[in-house]
Amino acid sequence: MKTLRWIKGLALSACLAWPAQAADLRIFAAASLQGPLDVITKEWSQDVAVSYGGSGTLARQISLGAPADAVILANAQWADWLVDQGHIAGPARPVLSNQLVLIGPSGAAPLPAPDAGALMARLGDGRMAMGQHMSVPAGIYAHAWLSHINAWTTLRPHLAETENVRAALALVARGEAPLGVVYASDAGASDGVDILWHIPTDTHPPIRYPALAITPAGAAFLDHLATRTDLFVAAGFKALP
């Protein structure tokens, strides 16, 4: 697959820094999980430090030795890569799902069932914000959707690709991008954006958040997280069947 070929071709000489964390439990988590996960960590009996970021960045940091007890990513490919490369023992456990949405700044008119022409007309001279299409899960899903509607070739020169989905959200919320593709949970976390279109789930691979325990303490935390999916659902995520 393209993403995995790209992963193998990464230059590991590019230094990836991770924060020094003096905490009892260290969790690496996809940026879109922020909010509900913060609540869950405050419930935990130990001091928890969470490093949020793009799933690709987090996976590469763990592969280079970043200290963590558990990792929760937003795409199965990155979890599979960590297991296949021997960095973490598998298998990953899927814990959540989500919905991909097209957003605009607050007050923007809905854009139902857009095609390439409708997207370009709304963009004007602007760009559409989304995660990097080869490494950020929300960007990977957005790429699949745009390809499905035959809009990728047209839209690609007009993208603002970001290092994680929350960065794409911020560009739209600040009015720096007229359109963006994020998760429904991200859109619900910002007063600065409106959902213009719920992207059909059959236009991209299923959205799954796989979790991997690295230590026994991390496994215990993931067991607790599995009992608190109600917090995520209330924030716009979807529970798995």
Side-chain angles (χ1 to χ4, degrees), residues 83-183:
V83 172
D84 292 345
Q85 296 297 311
H87 301 300
I88 302 178
R93 60 170 100 171
V95 292
L96 292 165
S97 184
N98 215 323
Q99 167 80 52
L100 203 65
V101 295
L102 179 70
I103 60 170
S106 183
L111 194 59
D115 57 13
L119 292 169
M120 288 300 299
R122 182 65 64 91
L123 284 178
D125 294 330
R127 291 181 175 268
M128 186 163 74
M130 57 178 263
Q132 294 170 353
H133 75 279
M134 293 186 71
S135 60
V136 175
I140 294 170
Y141 298 129
H143 175 206
W145 167 59
L146 290 171
S147 298
H148 183 85
I149 64 171
N150 297 315
W152 175 249
T153 301
T154 301
L155 268 292
R156 187 172 186 180
H158 305 277
L159 299 177
E161 297 188 58
T162 62
E163 63 182 7
N164 62 64
V165 68
R166 286 297 175 98
L169 176 74
L171 287 177
V172 180
R174 293 196 301 260
E176 297 174 17
L179 292 175
V181 182
V182 299
Y183 299 121

Side-chain angles (χ1 to χ4, degrees), residues 9 33 46 51 58 66-67 75 82 127 162 176:
L33 295 167
Q46 297 174 299
S51 293
L58 297 177
N75 184 277
L82 284 170
R127 291 181 175 268
T162 62
E176 297 174 17

